[in-house]
Amino acid sequence: MIEPVVVMLGRGRVPVDTPLLRADDLGVLRGDGVFETMHVRGGRPWLLDEHLARMVNSAARLELPLPERSVLRELAETALRGWPADQEGALRLVCTRGPEWGGPATVFATLAPIRDATRLARAQGLTVATATLGFPVAVREGAPWLLGGVKALSYAVNMACQRWAAQQGLDDVLWVSTDGYALEAPTSTLCWLRDETLSTVPADQTGVLPGTTARWLLDHAADLGCRATEQLVQPEELTAADGVWLVSSVRGVAAVRELDGVALKPSPLTADLQRLAGHPI
Ligand code: PLP
């Protein structure tokens, strides 16, 4: 088993068990910070520029000082040095607001192998249940403090949802708004196929995270003979779709094979989308 890598801004590579955070770090105390997770294949991060762009946007939304992109790029390069080309990895870049009692932002990178369960989901698909996120679809548009579209460190709700799914014997959750629209999953974006059109949920109207993987797939949908669009959808419509997927940088493309107890028919497009995204199966 390959060792995870940790790189701290200003300190370089350190052993993974090195204590790095102060007890008053606002990332720890309040989840106050931003992060990005990228897929590493062939020893390189996939869609690094897109992730850095989203991180810059997330930091701006939190009024958080983020190092220059060149500094973050260098941090990533330091983490990737010597990473075996045949080893899939997840590269995380993190920036917290730093110590509560004063001090600079805390910035570090981690790089670790992909978990077996993640790889298995690509091959076997996912069982998913809808779960409410507790507000109407459009609320985050007019409420910037709800941090729609921001990849903030505060993922406790996201992780609680995934634990809840596991307690039900399911693989994941699809969040829905109180007015009945599908949003996203706690760590991935919803995509579906209907009438040869690959769709995802519009981030600007809903506050879901604008997914880099979904963007890549929609931008290249024509290569698969599909149109691409962003639109709202209700879960009932998904059960009649020609394919439903949860996609993310690390997960890649995983077919939803069951939604709220209804078996969804396997889509021939799954293999094509997986090839397009380039994650090993
Ligand atoms: N939505 C949420 C809430 C996420 O945490 C993620 C993962 O980062 C995604 C969607 C998928 O985004 P991406 O494809 O950029 O990894």
Side-chain angles (χ1 to χ4, degrees):
M1 181 69 173
I2 186 163
E3 268 283 288
V5 173
V6 178
V7 182
M8 185 83 178
L9 187 65
R11 284 181 64 174
R13 258 172 117 124
V14 292
V16 66
D17 56 355
T18 310
L20 290 173
L21 293 178
R22 287 174 45 159
D24 68 337
D25 194 290
L26 287 162
V28 174
L29 297 180
R30 301 200 190 277
D32 192 357
V34 297
F35 77 109
E36 282 295 326
T37 310
M38 279 149 273
H39 187 248
V40 172
R41 77 273 295 266
R44 303 301 309 156
W46 188 49
L47 302 179
L48 174 63
D49 288 346
E50 289 81 349
H51 283 280
L52 289 178
R54 190 170 66 188
M55 198 172 186
V56 167
N57 182 58
S58 294
R61 290 278 309 282
L62 290 183
E63 299 177 38
L64 186 79
L66 186 73
E68 293 292 323
R69 283 181 215 216
S70 58
V71 173
L72 295 170
R73 237 181 253 283
E74 184 50 41
L75 202 66
E77 289 302 333
T78 306
L80 289 160
R81 212 162 289 147
W83 188 260
D86 61 355
Q87 177 74 54
E88 254 191 287
L91 172 68
R92 203 186 275 125
L93 296 176
V94 181
C95 177
T96 84
R97 201 177 294 280
E100 185 174 32
W101 302 313
T106 304
V107 184
F108 58 94
T110 67
L111 174 56
I114 301 285
R115 288 180 304 133
D116 288 343
T118 304
R119 220 175 284 117
L120 205 65
R122 295 176 198 152
Q124 299 190 345
L126 300 166
T127 56
V128 175
T130 52
T132 184
L133 199 51
F135 44 66
V137 69
V139 76
R140 289 188 286 197
E141 226 182 340
W145 56 89
L146 293 178
L147 299 182
V150 173
K151 199 162 169 65
L153 283 174
S154 355
Y155 260 48
V157 167
N158 307 46
M159 297 301 104
C161 272
Q162 290 192 329
R163 283 193 302 276
W164 177 83
Q167 284 158 16
Q168 321 300 309
L170 298 166
D171 296 317
D172 211 340
V173 153
L174 174 63
W175 279 330
V176 291
S177 64
T178 49
D179 43 358
Y181 294 100
L183 295 167
E184 62 185 334
T187 59
S188 36
T189 308
L190 172 69
C191 291
W192 69 98
L193 183 75
R194 187 98 205 240
D195 299 332
E196 292 170 5
T197 302
L198 184 65
S199 300
T200 194
V201 174
D204 50 355
Q205 290 171 45
T206 63
V208 301
L209 191 73
T212 57
T213 314
R215 182 75 274 144
W216 172 268
L217 295 173
L218 264 69
D219 285 350
H220 294 82
D223 300 354
L224 306 180
C226 296
R227 292 179 293 274
T229 193
E230 298 184 2
Q231 57 179 321
L232 294 178
V233 70
Q234 298 188 315
E236 308 79 71
E237 299 172 75
L238 291 174
T239 49
D242 303 317
V244 180
W245 300 273
L246 292 183
V247 309
S248 81
S249 303
V250 171
R251 175 177 268 169
V253 176
V256 177
R257 62 181 160 85
E258 186 189 301
L259 182 61
D260 287 337
V262 177
L264 307 189
K265 60 175 186 289
S267 168
L269 202 69
T270 298
D272 294 334
L273 289 171
Q274 289 177 332
R275 252 191 306 279
L276 191 56
H279 299 72
I281 306 302

